[in-house]
Structures are given as structure tokens and as C-alpha cells.
Amino acid sequence: MNYEKMTREKLEQERVLLSEQFAHYQSQKLNLNMARGVPCPEQLDLSLGLNDAIQDPKDCFSENGTDCRTYAANIFTGVPELRQLFAEVFGVPEEYIIIGGNSSLNMIYDMVARMMLFGVPGGDGPWFGKKIKFLCPAPGYDRHFKILESFGIELVTVPMTKEGPDMDMVEDLVRDPAVRGLICVPKFSNPTGVVFSSEVVHRLAKMETAAADFRIIWDNAYAIHYVYQDVPLDDIFAVCRTYGHEDRVLYFASTSKITFPGAGIAFMAMDAVNRKWVMPALQTQTIGPDKMNQLRHLHFFRTPEAMYAHMARHAEIMRARFDVVNETFREGLTPYGIGDWGDPKGGYFFSLDLPDGCAQKTYELCHELGVNLTPSGATYPYGKDPRDCNLRIAPTYPTVQELKAAMEVLCICARLVYVNQLLETK
Ligand SMILES: Cc1ncc(COP(=O)(O)O)c(C=O)c1O
């Protein structure tokens, strides 16, 4: 069955068979979306209780007596009990946490803007006007790349391995003083699902960088988003502290994939050096974020245990979809010698590696059959996948039935593209 070992004659027969299946799906006029990682309605329903979480005027006060219905400079960094809850659940020191608005991506954008305009502690002033490079483990998150690119920062691709970024390469690249940072999703990474190994975290923490103001944007967006089982991630602050590099870490997370994307709570966390740097700018930007939404989240969850139970319900809904992806790939690609999709235990995505040169054409054929995928190349800096092999699969939004159809279409298109490629080259 392995396509690479098939004779030309057999491959031609296979092409006829696949073309028939393609025509069958063409007649079905599908309209299915596996493009963006958003929760399905069933998942969103889990958080409906947020809307009723504050019923009584006394619920509008934080424990320290602050009325959260109005401006309150004394809790600028967040309602203390919510900071406590996040500290416990995300495993970061409470005093490091600065709660913001509804979007961690927005906080990352503002952070990079601040670096450009005002510079970073330990550095040589604003980055604006200088040659600045960032290391971008890829496949990675397209919106991260877009933020950096929008400020004229040069994106340097570093391959992702099953354990995190290729650290030999990272250690080599940080000897360049123009390399001022690295942006990553360390747990259930978007899109590979990889969790950085302990060795990777230690090497990131330990390495000496030529730039004194080197920063790691540690976007822990999927910190508690297991699907099959949790996979521990080392405590980045603690590890960096042991090497004297704690100021290297700028940590971000949000409840976007816990409660409501776009209406959740985002926060960042950092050591005292970085807090001293960002606080005056933050306090100039706003009188304070939405504390009522913070209270709603606090009252809705109350305890870490309730938050974990909530994530277990998410996981159950996601598992049905992850199972479909795993099974369809195992049956629809593996026997033909195609496809590596890792083994994600959590997160929101699958990262499918096809034979080189097959991703863009597979994307186009799927599109022709009404199956929308994240554009090929999007998982790489500048939207350019050097091997044209990677596709990001976002299986959470469609129903299980829709997902089955979409995944079958994807497998048929990938096989057809590869068979055509082999026939052209044999
Ligand atoms: C890695 C990562 N970071 C951030 C976000 C967006 O988070 P927020 O809604 O908090 O801006 C996403 C959403 O898909 C994501 O995958």
C-alpha cells in the first residue's frame, strides 16, 4: 500500500480511485471549517453561568472591600482573589501577575510596541530604528509572527522538534546581538501540541545571550488544556531564577479557551525588574481593566478545583474530536506511508506534515471540496513553509459528524496530491 513503493501502474489505478472519491465529495457541496481554533458551541455552553455569576450588590466588592463597579487604583493589577486563583492554577507567583483586558494577544502586541518605543531593561534604549531579530519556533502561531512582522522585526525560523525548539540552533543564534528574543507556546503548542521538555526549558533558561535585553515571550495559552492527559511543563520562572535569568521571561495567558474567547480575562506575569518597567506605561494607558469581568470569573470558578473540573468537561468534548482526527489519519494516511501528526495530548490543534511539496496543493483541493483549512504556510514566519509540507488542523469547531467528513476529504486530497507528485517524478 505504501505509495512510494508502488509501481507506476498501481499508482495510476490509485489515482483513478481517488479521483472518483474526489468527484463524489464534489457533488456533496460541503461547507466545513477546520481553519481557526475556536471552541464549539457545546464548549461555550459550559461557561454560560458566567452571565449570572454576580447577582447581588455585595458580589461587586473584592475581599479587600474595593467596589469593582468603579475605577480603583488600589487593585490596578487585578482583583487580589483572582490573581491568587490564577497564581495557583497557572503555577506563577501571585505578585508577578498583572491582569489585563480580554486578550493576551493584545497584551503581547502592547509589550512588543513598548519594546520598540521605550526599550527593555538592560538594553541600549528603544528598539525602533535598530535591526532586531526574534527567534520563531515553527510550525508556530501565525498571529505571533504577524505581530513581530508588523513592527519590522526580522523573523528567524527555528524548527520545532518533538521536545520544543531545536536548542542547538537557538543557542547558536543567540550569539548574534541583533537577536533580542524568542516567542513561543511552551505547552500544547499551537499547532504541534508539543510540550517543551525539561531539558529545553533548562537550556532556554541557562543560555548566555549576546543581547543583554533578550526576552522570551512565553505564551502559555494552553496551560491547562489537556485533552487526553496533562503533561507537566517546568516552572519557567523558577528554572530561570536558578541561572540568574529570571528577567528573561514575559509570561502570558488568558481564559479565552477556558470561558469565552473575546470575553475572557488575559494576564501577564513577570519578575520585579520587568514589572517596574511596564507598570508606569500601563498606568498611563488605562485607568484600569474590566474588574467586573474579573469578579464574574472569580465567582463562577471560586476554586482551582472548580476550574480543573471545568477543563475536564472541555477535555471530554474535545476528546471526541481528537479521536476522529487520530483515527482518520491512522486509517486514511498511515497505510499509504504519508503523514506525521505527532501525538498531541492537549491543546487545540494538530500539525500535519505531508511529503514535501504537498501542503499547498492539498489545501487547494480541500478548498475546492468546501473544506476550509488554515492556509498552508501560515504556521511559518512570513507565511512561507520552506518545505511546503505543513497543514494546521483545527478540529474543535465542527460537529463530530462534520469533522469526520472533513477529515476524510483531507486524507483523500492529500493522497491524490501525493500520487500525482509521484507519477510526475517516477
Ligand atoms: C497561542 C495562542 N495565543 C493567544 C491566543 C489568543 O488569545 P487571546 O484571546 O487571549 O488574545 C491564541 C488563540 O488561538 C493562541 O492560540
Side-chain angles (χ1 to χ4, degrees), residues 363-423:
Y363 167 82
E364 284 166 10
L365 285 193
C366 284
H367 194 74
E368 218 180 303
L369 293 188
V371 172
N372 231 323
L373 299 173
T374 310
S376 61
T379 51
Y380 281 81
Y382 307 110
K384 289 200 182 84
D385 172 359
R387 288 168 47 206
D388 182 27
C389 70
N390 185 257
L391 287 173
R392 184 179 84 159
I393 316 298
T396 53
Y397 188 74
T399 64
V400 171
Q401 273 324 101
E402 286 171 341
L403 183 64
K404 278 186 180 157
M407 288 300 300
E408 273 166 29
V409 164
L410 170 61
C411 291
I412 285 163
C413 292
R415 283 164 58 196
L416 186 54
V417 167
Y418 188 44
V419 165
N420 278 332
Q421 189 190 74
L422 286 172
L423 281 169

Side-chain angles (χ1 to χ4, degrees), residues 90-92 104 108 135-141 144 160-165 167 182-202 204-205 216-225 230-237 239-240 249-254 267 344-349:
F90 290 87
V92 294
S104 58
I108 294 173
L135 306 184
C136 301
Y141 182 34
H144 281 169
M160 271 292 267
T161 73
K162 307 269 181 215
E163 300 207 354
M167 284 308 299
L182 177 145
I183 192 162
C184 63
V185 186
K187 185 161 176 180
F188 301 136
S189 185
N190 176 353
T192 60
V194 162
V195 180
F196 288 11
S197 69
S198 192
E199 188 195 331
V200 164
V201 176
H202 276 263
L204 283 171
I216 298 176
I217 296 182
W218 192 256
D219 182 0
N220 207 2
Y222 300 103
I224 53 172
H225 301 59
D230 193 26
V231 181
L233 170 70
D234 278 15
D235 176 344
I236 185 71
F237 286 115
V239 177
C240 280
V249 187
L250 300 170
Y251 182 119
F252 297 85
S254 77
F267 71 91
K345 300 286 186 240
Y348 259 66
F349 304 97

Side-chain angles (χ1 to χ4, degrees), residues 6-154:
M6 266 189 188
T7 60
R8 194 176 174 86
E9 193 188 355
K10 276 253 157 41
L11 278 174
E12 268 161 6
Q13 284 169 10
E14 188 70 8
R15 173 152 68 183
V16 172
L17 213 81
L18 288 166
S19 301
E20 280 168 14
Q21 290 175 348
F22 188 87
H24 162 75
Y25 278 111
Q26 217 162 16
S27 69
Q28 295 206 348
K29 305 221 176 309
L30 299 171
N31 181 13
L32 303 171
N33 196 328
M34 291 200 292
R36 292 238 68 103
V38 285
C40 62
E42 225 179 321
Q43 286 176 275
L44 297 173
D45 288 347
L46 295 177
S47 301
L48 268 184
L50 261 181
N51 295 323
D52 306 317
I54 295 179
Q55 296 279 349
D56 194 287
K58 75 173 172 1
D59 292 339
C60 299
F61 291 78
S62 70
E63 263 171 23
N64 65 8
T66 307
D67 190 339
C68 293
R69 293 171 295 190
T70 182
Y71 298 134
N74 64 319
I75 56 170
F76 184 86
T77 54
V79 170
E81 307 89 282
L82 188 65
R83 290 172 74 220
Q84 233 169 53
L85 179 65
F86 284 165
E88 177 141 358
V89 169
F90 290 87
V92 294
E94 188 185 330
E95 68 273 22
Y96 286 25
I97 292 181
I98 301 171
I99 296 182
N102 68 323
S103 160
S104 58
L105 207 64
N106 191 173
M107 292 184 109
I108 294 173
Y109 183 96
D110 281 352
M111 181 61 81
V112 178
R114 210 173 292 125
M115 290 161 153
M116 298 302 293
L117 285 172
F118 305 118
V120 176
D124 53 355
W127 288 2
F128 186 78
K130 298 186 177 111
K131 183 158 193 66
I132 304 289
K133 300 181 190 174
F134 249 72
L135 306 184
C136 301
Y141 182 34
D142 52 352
R143 289 182 183 274
H144 281 169
F145 303 153
K146 200 78 204 159
I147 288 177
L148 298 169
E149 197 186 342
S150 74
F151 287 105
I153 293 173
E154 187 181 321

